[in-house]
Protein backbone atom coordinates (compact mmCIF):
# COMPACT_ATOMS: atom_id res chain seq x y z
CA UNK A 1 0.00 0.00 0.00
CA UNK A 2 3.05 2.27 -0.20
CA UNK A 3 1.64 4.36 -3.06
CA UNK A 4 -1.58 4.97 -1.20
CA UNK A 5 0.08 5.41 2.16
CA UNK A 6 2.35 8.06 0.74
CA UNK A 7 -0.69 9.75 -0.78
CA UNK A 8 -2.39 10.01 2.59
CA UNK A 9 0.73 11.09 4.45
CA UNK A 10 0.54 14.40 2.64
CA UNK A 11 -2.96 14.96 3.98
CA UNK A 12 -2.35 13.68 7.49
CA UNK A 13 0.67 15.76 8.26
CA UNK A 14 -0.02 18.88 6.25
CA UNK A 15 -1.43 20.50 9.37
CA UNK A 16 1.26 19.36 11.79
CA UNK A 17 3.89 21.85 12.83
CA UNK A 18 7.50 20.88 13.39
CA UNK A 19 10.64 22.64 14.48
CA UNK A 20 12.34 24.59 11.70
CA UNK A 21 14.85 22.33 9.99
CA UNK A 22 17.28 25.20 9.53
CA UNK A 23 18.03 24.78 13.22
CA UNK A 24 17.55 21.04 13.54
CA UNK A 25 19.49 18.05 12.33
CA UNK A 26 22.46 17.59 10.05
CA UNK A 27 22.38 17.99 6.28
CA UNK A 28 23.30 15.07 4.04
CA UNK A 29 23.33 14.96 0.26
CA UNK A 30 23.87 12.22 -2.30
CA UNK A 31 24.76 13.60 -5.72
CA UNK A 32 24.86 11.24 -8.71
CA UNK A 33 25.86 12.03 -12.27
CA UNK A 34 25.49 9.16 -14.75
CA UNK A 35 26.76 9.91 -18.25
CA UNK A 36 28.43 6.83 -19.76
CA UNK A 37 25.60 4.49 -20.70
CA UNK A 38 26.94 1.79 -23.06
CA UNK A 39 23.59 1.55 -24.83
CA UNK A 40 23.60 5.25 -25.74
CA UNK A 41 25.20 6.48 -28.94
CA UNK A 42 27.55 8.75 -26.99
CA UNK A 43 28.13 9.76 -23.35
CA UNK A 44 25.93 12.52 -22.02
CA UNK A 45 27.85 15.78 -21.72
CA UNK A 46 25.97 17.42 -18.86
CA UNK A 47 25.54 15.05 -15.87
CA UNK A 48 29.13 14.88 -14.60
CA UNK A 49 29.76 18.64 -14.72
CA UNK A 50 26.35 19.34 -13.24
CA UNK A 51 26.83 16.85 -10.41
CA UNK A 52 30.21 18.35 -9.50
CA UNK A 53 28.87 21.90 -9.47
CA UNK A 54 25.83 20.94 -7.41
CA UNK A 55 28.02 19.04 -4.94
CA UNK A 56 30.34 22.04 -4.53
CA UNK A 57 27.42 24.37 -3.91
CA UNK A 58 25.82 22.04 -1.35
CA UNK A 59 29.10 21.75 0.52
CA UNK A 60 29.17 25.54 0.81
CA UNK A 61 25.63 25.36 2.15
CA UNK A 62 26.56 23.06 5.01
CA UNK A 63 25.73 19.67 3.52
CA UNK A 64 27.86 16.58 4.01
CA UNK A 65 28.04 15.47 0.39
CA UNK A 66 28.81 12.16 -1.28
CA UNK A 67 29.19 12.37 -5.05
CA UNK A 68 29.03 9.42 -7.41
CA UNK A 69 29.84 9.39 -11.12
CA UNK A 70 28.79 6.76 -13.66
CA UNK A 71 27.47 4.42 -10.99
CA UNK A 72 26.46 0.83 -11.70
CA UNK A 73 23.44 -0.69 -10.07
CA UNK A 74 25.48 -2.17 -7.24
CA UNK A 75 27.29 1.13 -6.69
CA UNK A 76 24.03 3.08 -6.57
CA UNK A 77 22.59 0.61 -4.10
CA UNK A 78 25.62 0.97 -1.83
CA UNK A 79 25.47 4.77 -2.12
CA UNK A 80 21.81 4.81 -1.08
CA UNK A 81 22.55 2.48 1.83
CA UNK A 82 25.33 4.78 3.03
CA UNK A 83 22.94 7.74 2.89
CA UNK A 84 20.28 5.84 4.82
CA UNK A 85 22.84 4.87 7.46
CA UNK A 86 23.77 8.51 8.15
CA UNK A 87 20.25 9.75 8.77
CA UNK A 88 18.83 10.42 12.17
CA UNK A 89 15.51 11.91 13.27
CA UNK A 90 15.44 15.54 12.18
CA UNK A 91 18.12 15.19 9.50
CA UNK A 92 17.88 16.89 6.14
CA UNK A 93 18.38 14.53 3.18
CA UNK A 94 18.90 15.73 -0.39
CA UNK A 95 19.19 13.60 -3.53
CA UNK A 96 20.41 14.97 -6.85
CA UNK A 97 20.36 12.63 -9.84
CA UNK A 98 21.33 13.47 -13.41
CA UNK A 99 21.18 10.80 -16.08
CA UNK A 100 18.46 8.68 -17.65
CA UNK A 101 15.09 8.20 -15.97
CA UNK A 102 12.13 6.07 -17.04
CA UNK A 103 8.62 5.76 -15.70
CA UNK A 104 6.99 2.37 -15.26
CA UNK A 105 3.81 1.40 -13.49
CA UNK A 106 3.30 5.09 -12.69
CA UNK A 107 6.60 5.41 -10.83
CA UNK A 108 9.84 7.11 -11.85
CA UNK A 109 13.06 5.09 -11.92
CA UNK A 110 16.66 6.31 -11.90
CA UNK A 111 18.76 4.20 -14.25
CA UNK A 112 22.33 3.02 -13.44
CA UNK A 113 24.90 2.91 -16.23
CA UNK A 114 24.98 -0.91 -16.43
CA UNK A 115 21.20 -1.41 -16.67
CA UNK A 116 20.08 -4.15 -19.04
CA UNK A 117 16.68 -2.94 -20.16
CA UNK A 118 14.85 -4.73 -22.97
CA UNK A 119 11.33 -4.78 -21.53
CA UNK A 120 9.33 -2.66 -19.13
CA UNK A 121 9.80 -5.25 -16.40
CA UNK A 122 13.57 -4.65 -16.67
CA UNK A 123 13.02 -1.00 -15.70
CA UNK A 124 11.65 -2.06 -12.33
CA UNK A 125 14.32 -4.71 -11.93
CA UNK A 126 17.41 -2.64 -12.78
CA UNK A 127 16.21 0.88 -11.97
CA UNK A 128 15.76 2.59 -8.60
CA UNK A 129 12.29 3.86 -7.76
CA UNK A 130 12.33 7.45 -6.55
CA UNK A 131 9.29 6.78 -4.36
CA UNK A 132 11.03 3.81 -2.73
CA UNK A 133 14.16 5.84 -2.03
CA UNK A 134 12.18 8.72 -0.51
CA UNK A 135 10.14 6.27 1.53
CA UNK A 136 13.28 4.69 2.96
CA UNK A 137 14.75 8.12 3.74
CA UNK A 138 11.52 9.01 5.51
CA UNK A 139 11.57 5.78 7.52
CA UNK A 140 14.97 6.80 8.90
CA UNK A 141 13.38 9.92 10.41
CA UNK A 142 14.60 12.62 8.03
CA UNK A 143 12.60 15.78 8.66
CA UNK A 144 13.13 17.41 5.27
CA UNK A 145 13.56 15.37 2.10
CA UNK A 146 14.54 17.01 -1.19
CA UNK A 147 14.92 15.30 -4.58
CA UNK A 148 16.26 17.18 -7.61
CA UNK A 149 15.94 14.93 -10.65
CA UNK A 150 17.44 15.92 -14.00
CA UNK A 151 16.49 12.76 -15.88
CA UNK A 152 13.69 13.72 -18.29
CA UNK A 153 15.82 12.76 -21.29
CA UNK A 154 15.20 10.71 -24.38
CA UNK A 155 16.90 7.43 -23.65
CA UNK A 156 18.01 4.41 -25.67
CA UNK A 157 15.84 1.94 -23.76
CA UNK A 158 12.18 2.86 -24.16
CA UNK A 159 12.21 2.39 -27.93
CA UNK A 160 12.68 -1.32 -27.22
CA UNK A 161 9.28 -1.68 -25.58
CA UNK A 162 7.42 1.58 -26.30
CA UNK A 163 6.69 3.69 -29.32
CA UNK A 164 7.38 6.93 -27.41
CA UNK A 165 9.41 8.37 -24.53
CA UNK A 166 7.07 8.68 -21.58
CA UNK A 167 9.14 11.00 -19.39
CA UNK A 168 8.70 10.85 -15.62
CA UNK A 169 5.62 10.20 -13.49
CA UNK A 170 4.36 12.27 -10.55
CA UNK A 171 5.95 11.13 -7.32
CA UNK A 172 3.72 10.35 -4.38
CA UNK A 173 6.11 11.25 -1.60
CA UNK A 174 5.99 11.31 2.22
CA UNK A 175 5.20 14.42 4.20
CA UNK A 176 8.07 16.86 4.40
CA UNK A 177 9.25 16.25 0.83
CA UNK A 178 10.16 18.68 -1.95
CA UNK A 179 10.65 17.18 -5.41
CA UNK A 180 11.66 18.91 -8.63
CA UNK A 181 11.98 17.42 -12.11
CA UNK A 182 13.91 19.28 -14.80
CA UNK A 183 10.92 19.01 -17.16
CA UNK A 184 7.16 18.61 -17.04
CA UNK A 185 5.50 15.30 -16.28
CA UNK A 186 5.47 12.81 -19.15
CA UNK A 187 7.73 15.01 -21.27
CA UNK A 188 11.34 14.63 -22.38
CA UNK A 189 14.02 17.10 -23.42
CA UNK A 190 17.29 16.86 -25.30
CA UNK A 191 20.61 17.99 -23.88
CA UNK A 192 21.38 21.52 -25.02
CA UNK A 193 24.79 20.57 -26.39
CA UNK A 194 26.69 22.43 -23.69
CA UNK A 195 28.65 21.27 -20.70
CA UNK A 196 25.88 22.16 -18.22
CA UNK A 197 22.13 21.72 -18.32
CA UNK A 198 19.85 24.73 -18.36
CA UNK A 199 18.11 23.30 -15.31
CA UNK A 200 21.26 23.22 -13.19
CA UNK A 201 22.42 26.62 -14.39
CA UNK A 202 19.19 28.22 -13.18
CA UNK A 203 19.10 26.11 -10.01
CA UNK A 204 22.56 27.18 -8.89
CA UNK A 205 21.76 30.80 -9.68
CA UNK A 206 18.73 30.74 -7.39
CA UNK A 207 20.28 28.68 -4.59
CA UNK A 208 22.81 31.46 -4.11
CA UNK A 209 20.13 34.10 -3.54
CA UNK A 210 19.96 34.85 0.19
CA UNK A 211 16.80 34.89 2.29
CA UNK A 212 14.83 32.45 0.15
CA UNK A 213 13.00 29.41 1.39
CA UNK A 214 13.57 26.23 -0.62
CA UNK A 215 10.14 26.27 -2.27
CA UNK A 216 10.71 29.82 -3.50
CA UNK A 217 14.18 28.87 -4.72
CA UNK A 218 12.77 26.07 -6.84
CA UNK A 219 9.84 28.14 -8.07
CA UNK A 220 12.25 30.82 -9.24
CA UNK A 221 14.30 28.10 -10.92
CA UNK A 222 11.21 26.91 -12.76
CA UNK A 223 10.47 30.44 -13.96
CA UNK A 224 14.07 30.90 -15.09
CA UNK A 225 14.17 27.64 -17.05
CA UNK A 226 10.79 28.33 -18.63
CA UNK A 227 11.84 31.80 -19.76
CA UNK A 228 15.26 30.75 -20.99
CA UNK A 229 13.78 27.90 -23.02
CA UNK A 230 10.90 30.06 -24.31
CA UNK A 231 8.42 27.70 -22.77
CA UNK A 232 9.83 24.52 -24.29
CA UNK A 233 11.07 23.25 -20.93
CA UNK A 234 8.92 23.73 -17.84
CA UNK A 235 10.19 22.01 -14.67
CA UNK A 236 7.73 20.24 -12.37
CA UNK A 237 7.60 20.75 -8.61
CA UNK A 238 5.77 18.86 -5.88
CA UNK A 239 5.94 19.93 -2.25
CA UNK A 240 4.57 18.68 1.03
CA UNK A 241 7.00 20.61 3.24
CA UNK A 242 5.40 21.42 6.58
CA UNK A 243 8.22 23.65 7.82
CA UNK A 244 10.51 26.36 6.57
CA UNK A 245 13.77 25.24 5.01
CA UNK A 246 16.44 27.18 3.18
CA UNK A 247 19.42 25.90 1.23
CA UNK A 248 21.48 28.66 2.84
CA UNK A 249 21.63 28.09 6.62
CA UNK A 250 20.25 30.90 8.72
CA UNK A 251 17.93 32.35 6.09
CA UNK A 252 14.82 33.90 7.57
CA UNK A 253 12.57 33.35 4.63
CA UNK A 254 10.97 36.76 4.68
CA UNK A 255 11.92 39.92 2.91
CA UNK A 256 15.33 41.21 4.02
CA UNK A 257 14.93 43.50 6.99
CA UNK A 258 15.99 47.10 6.45
CA UNK A 259 18.01 48.48 9.31
CA UNK A 260 16.90 51.97 10.31
CA UNK A 261 19.71 54.30 11.30
CA UNK A 262 19.33 57.54 13.20
CA UNK A 263 21.03 60.28 11.17
CA UNK A 264 23.82 62.22 12.91
CA UNK A 265 22.91 65.71 14.13
CA UNK A 266 23.64 68.49 11.65
CA UNK A 267 26.78 70.51 12.26
CA UNK A 268 24.88 73.77 11.90
CA UNK A 269 21.25 74.57 12.41
CA UNK A 270 19.13 74.23 9.35
CA UNK A 271 16.10 76.40 9.11
CA UNK A 272 13.29 74.65 7.37
CA UNK A 273 10.73 76.82 5.60
CA UNK A 274 7.20 76.33 6.89
CA UNK A 275 5.19 73.88 4.80
CA UNK A 276 2.55 75.37 2.58
CA UNK A 277 -0.94 75.45 3.91
CA UNK A 278 -2.75 72.25 3.11
CA UNK A 279 -6.37 72.42 2.16
CA UNK A 280 -8.25 69.34 3.21
CA UNK A 281 -10.94 68.51 0.71
CA UNK A 282 -13.75 66.20 1.65
CA UNK A 283 -13.64 62.88 -0.19
CA UNK A 284 -15.95 62.66 -3.18
CA UNK A 285 -19.15 60.76 -2.57
CA UNK A 286 -19.08 57.16 -3.79
CA UNK A 287 -20.80 56.55 -7.10
CA UNK A 288 -24.29 55.27 -6.91
CA UNK A 289 -24.35 51.50 -6.92
CA UNK A 290 -26.89 49.86 -9.10
CA UNK A 291 -27.83 46.37 -8.02
CA UNK A 292 -28.36 44.23 -11.08
CA UNK A 293 -30.12 40.91 -10.87
CA UNK A 294 -28.01 37.88 -11.80
CA UNK A 295 -28.29 36.87 -15.46
CA UNK A 296 -30.75 34.09 -16.13
CA UNK A 297 -29.22 30.64 -16.62
CA UNK A 298 -28.81 29.48 -20.21
CA UNK A 299 -31.50 27.23 -21.52
CA UNK A 300 -31.00 23.50 -21.20
CA UNK A 301 -29.59 21.30 -18.48
CA UNK A 302 -27.21 23.12 -16.16
CA UNK A 303 -23.96 21.46 -15.16
CA UNK A 304 -23.51 21.83 -11.41
CA UNK A 305 -20.34 23.57 -10.25
CA UNK A 306 -18.17 21.38 -8.03
CA UNK A 307 -16.72 23.83 -5.50
CA UNK A 308 -14.25 21.21 -4.26
CA UNK A 309 -12.92 20.77 -7.78
CA UNK A 310 -12.69 24.55 -8.21
CA UNK A 311 -10.57 24.76 -5.05
CA UNK A 312 -7.86 22.67 -6.72
CA UNK A 313 -8.16 24.21 -10.19
CA UNK A 314 -4.96 26.25 -9.78
CA UNK A 315 -2.83 23.38 -8.53
CA UNK A 316 -0.15 23.08 -11.26
CA UNK A 317 -0.22 19.28 -11.42
CA UNK A 318 -4.00 19.05 -11.48
CA UNK A 319 -4.17 21.88 -14.00
CA UNK A 320 -1.73 20.11 -16.31
CA UNK A 321 -3.57 16.80 -16.07
CA UNK A 322 -6.94 18.49 -16.55
CA UNK A 323 -5.67 20.14 -19.72
CA UNK A 324 -4.66 16.72 -21.02
CA UNK A 325 -8.09 15.37 -20.21
CA UNK A 326 -9.79 18.32 -21.88
CA UNK A 327 -7.92 17.36 -25.03
CA UNK A 328 -8.55 13.63 -24.56
CA UNK A 329 -11.20 12.66 -21.97
CA UNK A 330 -10.26 9.01 -22.36
CA UNK A 331 -6.63 9.43 -21.31
CA UNK A 332 -6.66 6.73 -18.63
CA UNK A 333 -3.13 7.53 -17.43
CA UNK A 334 -4.01 11.18 -16.81
CA UNK A 335 -7.23 10.19 -15.07
CA UNK A 336 -5.39 7.81 -12.76
CA UNK A 337 -2.67 10.34 -11.95
CA UNK A 338 -5.17 13.09 -11.23
CA UNK A 339 -7.01 10.71 -8.95
CA UNK A 340 -3.78 10.10 -7.07
CA UNK A 341 -3.18 13.83 -6.63
CA UNK A 342 -6.75 14.47 -5.49
CA UNK A 343 -6.43 11.68 -2.94
CA UNK A 344 -3.13 13.12 -1.67
CA UNK A 345 -4.99 16.37 -0.96
CA UNK A 346 -7.91 14.68 0.77
CA UNK A 347 -10.38 15.25 -2.07
CA UNK A 348 -11.56 11.66 -1.96
CA UNK A 349 -14.83 12.12 -3.88
CA UNK A 350 -12.89 13.63 -6.80
CA UNK A 351 -10.25 10.91 -6.55
CA UNK A 352 -12.88 8.16 -6.61
CA UNK A 353 -14.56 9.76 -9.62
CA UNK A 354 -11.26 9.72 -11.55
CA UNK A 355 -10.64 6.11 -10.53
CA UNK A 356 -14.21 5.33 -11.65
CA UNK A 357 -13.44 6.72 -15.09
CA UNK A 358 -10.11 4.91 -15.22
CA UNK A 359 -11.83 1.60 -14.49
CA UNK A 360 -14.57 2.40 -16.99
CA UNK A 361 -11.87 2.60 -19.66
CA UNK A 362 -10.09 -0.54 -18.41
CA UNK A 363 -12.00 -2.78 -16.04
CA UNK A 364 -8.82 -4.79 -15.37
CA UNK A 365 -6.70 -1.87 -14.13
CA UNK A 366 -5.70 -3.43 -10.81
CA UNK A 367 -3.88 -0.30 -9.58
CA UNK A 368 -6.99 1.83 -10.08
CA UNK A 369 -9.17 -0.82 -8.42
CA UNK A 370 -6.79 -0.97 -5.49
CA UNK A 371 -6.60 2.80 -5.09
CA UNK A 372 -10.38 3.13 -5.28
CA UNK A 373 -10.63 0.41 -2.64
CA UNK A 374 -8.30 2.37 -0.39
CA UNK A 375 -10.04 5.72 -0.94
CA UNK A 376 -13.42 4.17 -0.28
CA UNK A 377 -12.07 2.53 2.87
CA UNK A 378 -10.79 5.87 4.17
CA UNK A 379 -14.21 7.52 3.78
CA UNK A 380 -16.01 4.48 5.23
CA UNK A 381 -17.66 3.05 2.09
CA UNK A 382 -16.52 -0.39 3.22
CA UNK A 383 -18.74 -2.73 1.19
CA UNK A 384 -17.80 -1.04 -2.08
CA UNK A 385 -14.16 -0.97 -0.99
CA UNK A 386 -14.18 -4.70 -0.28
CA UNK A 387 -15.64 -5.39 -3.71
CA UNK A 388 -12.83 -3.39 -5.37
CA UNK A 389 -10.08 -5.13 -3.39
CA UNK A 390 -11.53 -8.56 -4.13
CA UNK A 391 -11.60 -7.79 -7.84
CA UNK A 392 -8.01 -6.51 -7.80
CA UNK A 393 -6.89 -9.70 -6.04
CA UNK A 394 -8.87 -11.87 -8.44
CA UNK A 395 -6.96 -10.26 -11.30
CA UNK A 396 -3.62 -10.32 -9.46
CA UNK A 397 -3.75 -12.81 -6.55
CA UNK A 398 -0.49 -11.81 -4.87
CA UNK A 399 -0.89 -8.04 -5.26
CA UNK A 400 0.62 -6.90 -1.97
CA UNK A 401 -0.94 -3.43 -2.06
CA UNK A 402 -4.44 -4.88 -2.46
CA UNK A 403 -3.85 -7.37 0.36
CA UNK A 404 -2.81 -4.48 2.58
CA UNK A 405 -5.84 -2.43 1.48
CA UNK A 406 -8.25 -5.28 2.11
CA UNK A 407 -6.70 -5.74 5.52
CA UNK A 408 -7.58 -2.12 6.27
CA UNK A 409 -11.15 -2.65 5.04
CA UNK A 410 -11.57 -5.72 7.24
CA UNK A 411 -10.01 -3.94 10.22
CA UNK A 412 -12.43 -1.01 9.90
CA UNK A 413 -15.32 -3.46 9.43
CA UNK A 414 -14.49 -5.24 12.69
CA UNK A 415 -13.52 -8.49 10.90
CA UNK A 416 -10.26 -8.89 12.81
CA UNK A 417 -9.56 -12.50 11.79
CA UNK A 418 -9.91 -11.62 8.12
CA UNK A 419 -7.73 -8.57 8.65
CA UNK A 420 -4.98 -10.66 10.25
CA UNK A 421 -5.12 -13.12 7.35
CA UNK A 422 -4.70 -10.31 4.79
CA UNK A 423 -1.92 -8.58 6.72
CA UNK A 424 -0.12 -11.91 7.20
CA UNK A 425 -0.24 -12.54 3.45
CA UNK A 426 1.08 -9.05 2.69
CA UNK A 427 3.93 -9.41 5.19
CA UNK A 428 5.00 -12.73 3.72
CA UNK A 429 5.55 -10.87 0.44
CA UNK A 430 7.07 -7.73 2.00
CA UNK A 431 8.15 -8.13 5.65
CA UNK A 432 8.97 -4.40 5.88
CA UNK A 433 5.45 -3.23 5.01
CA UNK A 434 4.85 -1.16 8.14
CA UNK A 435 1.17 -0.51 7.40
CA UNK A 436 0.44 -4.23 7.43
CA UNK A 437 2.58 -4.76 10.53
CA UNK A 438 0.82 -1.99 12.44
CA UNK A 439 -2.61 -3.03 11.15
CA UNK A 440 -1.96 -6.63 12.18
CA UNK A 441 -0.95 -5.41 15.63
CA UNK A 442 -4.23 -3.53 16.05
CA UNK A 443 -6.21 -6.53 14.78
CA UNK A 444 -4.42 -8.86 17.20
CA UNK A 445 -5.10 -6.53 20.12
CA UNK A 446 -8.78 -6.41 19.23
CA UNK A 447 -8.96 -10.19 18.95
CA UNK A 448 -7.48 -10.63 22.43
CA UNK A 449 -3.82 -11.36 21.57
CA UNK A 450 -2.59 -8.29 23.43
CA UNK A 451 1.11 -9.13 23.78
CA UNK A 452 1.47 -10.21 20.15
CA UNK A 453 -0.34 -7.10 19.02
CA UNK A 454 1.86 -4.88 21.17
CA UNK A 455 4.96 -6.45 19.63
CA UNK A 456 3.76 -5.81 16.06
CA UNK A 457 2.86 -2.22 16.91
CA UNK A 458 6.21 -1.57 18.61
CA UNK A 459 8.10 -2.96 15.61
CA UNK A 460 6.02 -0.89 13.19
CA UNK A 461 6.66 2.29 15.20
CA UNK A 462 10.39 1.57 15.22
CA UNK A 463 10.36 1.26 11.43
CA UNK A 464 8.10 4.28 10.83
CA UNK A 465 7.58 6.79 13.67
CA UNK A 466 4.64 8.33 11.79
CA UNK A 467 2.58 5.15 11.51
CA UNK A 468 0.20 6.02 14.38
CA UNK A 469 -0.78 9.37 12.87
CA UNK A 470 -1.11 7.66 9.51
CA UNK A 471 -3.75 5.24 10.81
CA UNK A 472 -5.44 8.10 12.65
CA UNK A 473 -5.98 9.59 9.22
CA UNK A 474 -7.71 6.38 8.16
CA UNK A 475 -10.05 6.69 11.11
CA UNK A 476 -8.41 3.73 12.89
CA UNK A 477 -7.17 4.09 16.46
Amino acid sequence: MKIRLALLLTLIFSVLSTAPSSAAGDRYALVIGNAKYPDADAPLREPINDARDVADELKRDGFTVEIGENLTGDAMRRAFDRLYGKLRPGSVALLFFSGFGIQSNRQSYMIPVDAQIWSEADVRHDGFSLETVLGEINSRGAGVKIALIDASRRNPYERRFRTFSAGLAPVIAPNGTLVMYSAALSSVISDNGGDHSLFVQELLKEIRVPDLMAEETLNRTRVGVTRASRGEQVPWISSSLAEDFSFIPGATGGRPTIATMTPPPPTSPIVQPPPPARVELPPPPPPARVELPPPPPPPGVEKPVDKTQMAFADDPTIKSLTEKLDANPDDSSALYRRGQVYASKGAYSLAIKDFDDTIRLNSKDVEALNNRCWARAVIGDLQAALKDCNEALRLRPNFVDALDSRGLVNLKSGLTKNAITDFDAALRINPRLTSSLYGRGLAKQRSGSISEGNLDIANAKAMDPNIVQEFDGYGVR
Side-chain angles (χ1 to χ4, degrees), residues 326-361:
D326 288 341
N328 178 13
D330 290 340
D331 186 339
S332 61
S333 180
L335 280 167
Y336 179 86
R337 290 176 192 162
R338 194 175 67 175
Q340 287 181 305
V341 179
Y342 278 139
S344 74
K345 297 178 179 298
Y348 297 110
S349 61
L350 295 176
I352 290 170
K353 183 179 182 301
D354 278 347
F355 295 141
D356 286 344
D357 289 338
T358 306
I359 294 164
R360 173 181 56 80
L361 294 169

Side-chain angles (χ1 to χ4, degrees), residues 301-459:
V301 179
E302 293 185 16
K303 184 178 180 181
V305 177
D306 190 325
K307 293 183 179 180
T308 306
Q309 192 167 13
M310 290 177 61
F312 297 110
D314 292 332
D315 180 276
T317 303
I318 291 175
K319 187 175 181 180
S320 173
L321 293 169
T322 301
E323 288 172 354
K324 286 188 174 184
L325 289 165
D326 288 341
N328 178 13
D330 290 340
D331 186 339
S332 61
S333 180
L335 280 167
Y336 179 86
R337 290 176 192 162
R338 194 175 67 175
Q340 287 181 305
V341 179
Y342 278 139
S344 74
K345 297 178 179 298
Y348 297 110
S349 61
L350 295 176
I352 290 170
K353 183 179 182 301
D354 278 347
F355 295 141
D356 286 344
D357 289 338
T358 306
I359 294 164
R360 173 181 56 80
L361 294 169
N362 178 9
S363 62
K364 296 183 179 181
D365 190 328
V366 292
E367 285 86 4
L369 284 164
N370 175 53
N371 277 274
R372 191 172 69 177
C373 168
W374 165 75
R376 284 173 164 173
V378 172
I379 65 173
D381 189 2
L382 300 177
Q383 288 300 319
L386 182 62
K387 183 178 178 181
D388 281 341
C389 276
N390 285 341
E391 179 63 10
L393 287 165
R394 185 187 70 81
L395 294 167
R396 190 186 295 176
N398 292 319
F399 187 17
V400 64
D401 287 352
L403 287 166
D404 190 42
S405 296
R406 195 171 67 180
L408 174 65
V409 174
N410 285 322
L411 182 63
K412 293 191 73 171
S413 299
L415 303 173
T416 54
K417 290 183 178 179
N418 291 349
I420 292 170
T421 299
D422 283 333
F423 290 137
D424 278 342
L427 289 166
R428 282 195 294 271
I429 299 170
N430 182 2
R432 292 182 57 81
L433 193 57
T434 52
S435 55
S436 283
L437 189 59
Y438 186 80
R440 188 177 70 179
L442 291 177
K444 285 181 176 180
Q445 285 182 336
R446 294 177 184 182
S447 65
S449 300
I450 304 300
S451 59
E452 291 182 14
N454 289 342
L455 180 60
D456 276 349
I457 289 172
N459 287 333

Side-chain angles (χ1 to χ4, degrees), residues 21-22 61 76 161 210 219 287:
S21 62
S22 56
D61 295 336
M76 283 183 68
F161 58 89
N219 280 320

Side-chain angles (χ1 to χ4, degrees), residues 34-48:
N34 282 352
K36 294 182 178 179
Y37 290 88
D39 289 355
D41 295 334
L44 298 170
R45 295 184 60 179
E46 299 170 350
I48 301 300

Side-chain angles (χ1 to χ4, degrees), residues 8-27:
L8 193 62
L9 278 172
T10 302
L11 170 67
I12 297 170
F13 298 106
S14 61
V15 297
L16 293 181
S17 60
T18 56
S21 62
S22 56
D26 295 320
R27 300 175 166 212

